[in-house]
Amino acid sequence: MSSEPITIGVLALQGAFEEHQRSLEALSPLIRTTQIRTPDQLANIDGIILPGGESTAMGLIGDSTTGLWEALRSYVHSGKPTWGTCAGMILLAERCVGTSAVITKGQSLIGGVDILVCRNYFGSQISSFEMGTPAPPKPAVKLEGMKEEHDGKAFPGVFIRAPAILTAGPGVEILGKVVAVPCRAAAVVLQELERKIEAGETVVQMGVVDALERKEGGGVCYTNVRLHKDVNSTNFEEEKKEVNLMHEQINIDLPGASDETNAREVICAVRKDNILCTAFHPEIADDLRWHSYFVGLVLESKQVKA
């Protein structure tokens, strides 16, 4: 239990930074928040949150703000408590696919966590939804006066143009997984990613891939992106059972989702040392358990320093 006030910064270039501030301040009067827009503002905080929003816009603004991106990289890679939600998670990834087609130099990443992220895995704005996700761990350290809310119930994950973590490297602790069908555009990106991996390529960044096929006589149709489509395969019946079993676990029906046989298990929350990533928006849910967990990381870090 700690009674010492802490200050948590929230990157305020774009996105849901005020929502994070409200959630943190609702936990305890000992938590102060501040908006981060310049490198010098990083000096007096105990931890930082990179909020959800538009990762491309954040990267463009960050790159054009003198010294900010370099300062953020230094802050994150030094091991200081950092939490990225949705777009913020993309920024903390070492590898990303499905990046914006309008950015010729690729998505500007801060890095720090060995994860491969698929941007907009769950689809566009109209595909936003809420589903139960694994509950966060209990915080190791609490602030005096904070309520005990960690009852183990599923957390109401709000997914808005959300990314998904496809793979996590050594040393990355997986805190949550969900089973979901990628949107059509993401499914085509994943198909191309798998082709590149099979060819022996190392993929760090990859842009969006055209999900439409143009017919010679005119007109377009969606690209066939089924993962299991070889009916002559000796493993076809086993693959079919596996797909049917996975489909039974899905409790969401997204507008614009790809063929149901593309259902797969993806990662929605990870931790690497003092860096936390969630694919969804905890700051929008009426549930403060993830914020409580991050505050615990900040307190742990302060105790180690002391």
Side-chain angles (χ1 to χ4, degrees), residues 20 23-24 27 83 282-283 288-295:
H20 271 296
S23 294
L24 288 167
L27 280 173
W83 179 16
E283 76 282 3
L288 300 178
R289 284 178 291 165
W290 277 105
H291 287 83
S292 176
Y293 179 62
F294 180 65
V295 168

Side-chain angles (χ1 to χ4, degrees), residues 40-56:
D40 59 290
Q41 294 172 321
L42 294 170
N44 300 313
I45 59 174
D46 299 306
I48 189 170
I49 294 177
L50 312 183
E54 173 49 60
S55 60
T56 303

Side-chain angles (χ1 to χ4, degrees), residues 12-176:
L13 303 181
Q14 189 268 345
F17 50 89
E18 290 181 342
E19 288 81 354
H20 271 296
Q21 289 181 275
R22 282 196 291 268
S23 294
L24 288 167
E25 291 167 2
L27 280 173
S28 167
L30 294 174
I31 300 174
R32 303 162 183 164
T33 67
T34 184
Q35 297 179 4
I36 304 297
R37 293 189 178 89
T38 60
D40 59 290
Q41 294 172 321
L42 294 170
N44 300 313
I45 59 174
D46 299 306
I48 189 170
I49 294 177
L50 312 183
E54 173 49 60
S55 60
T56 303
M58 290 182 189
L60 288 171
I61 298 169
D63 278 338
S64 63
T65 304
T66 304
L68 178 58
W69 233 228
E70 291 79 5
L72 281 170
R73 288 192 182 101
S74 177
Y75 187 96
V76 172
H77 289 263
S78 70
K80 294 178 181 177
T82 303
W83 179 16
T85 62
C86 196
M89 182 184 83
I90 294 173
L91 297 178
L92 293 174
E94 295 287 347
R95 296 179 291 154
C96 180
V97 296
T99 58
S100 174
V102 302
I103 307 298
T104 56
K105 294 183 180 180
Q107 172 74 53
S108 180
L109 301 176
I110 293 169
V113 187
D114 183 12
I115 51 176
L116 170 60
V117 169
C118 180
R119 189 171 172 269
N120 291 345
Y121 177 92
F122 295 97
S124 63
Q125 199 80 14
I126 63 168
S127 301
S128 301
F129 66 99
E130 180 181 313
M131 71 182 298
T133 61
K138 291 185 178 181
V141 185
K142 291 183 62 180
L143 273 175
E144 198 172 89
M146 280 178 59
K147 296 180 180 178
E148 178 60 66
E149 298 179 336
H150 291 260
D151 50 16
K153 292 181 181 178
F155 186 89
V158 178
F159 293 77
I160 303 173
R161 292 186 65 196
I165 301 173
L166 304 178
T167 63
V172 178
E173 181 184 2
I174 296 173
L175 300 179

Side-chain angles (χ1 to χ4, degrees), residues 175-219:
L175 300 179
K177 295 181 178 180
V178 294
V179 177
V181 181
C183 70
R184 291 189 179 100
V188 178
V189 168
L190 296 179
Q191 186 181 62
E192 177 65 11
L193 173 64
E194 288 159 5
R195 185 193 68 76
K196 286 179 177 290
I197 292 173
E198 287 176 0
E201 295 184 40
T202 299
V203 179
V204 176
Q205 284 205 42
M206 190 178 82
V208 294
V209 180
D210 193 349
L212 298 176
E213 291 180 348
R214 273 75 179 174
K215 299 179 181 178
E216 289 186 9

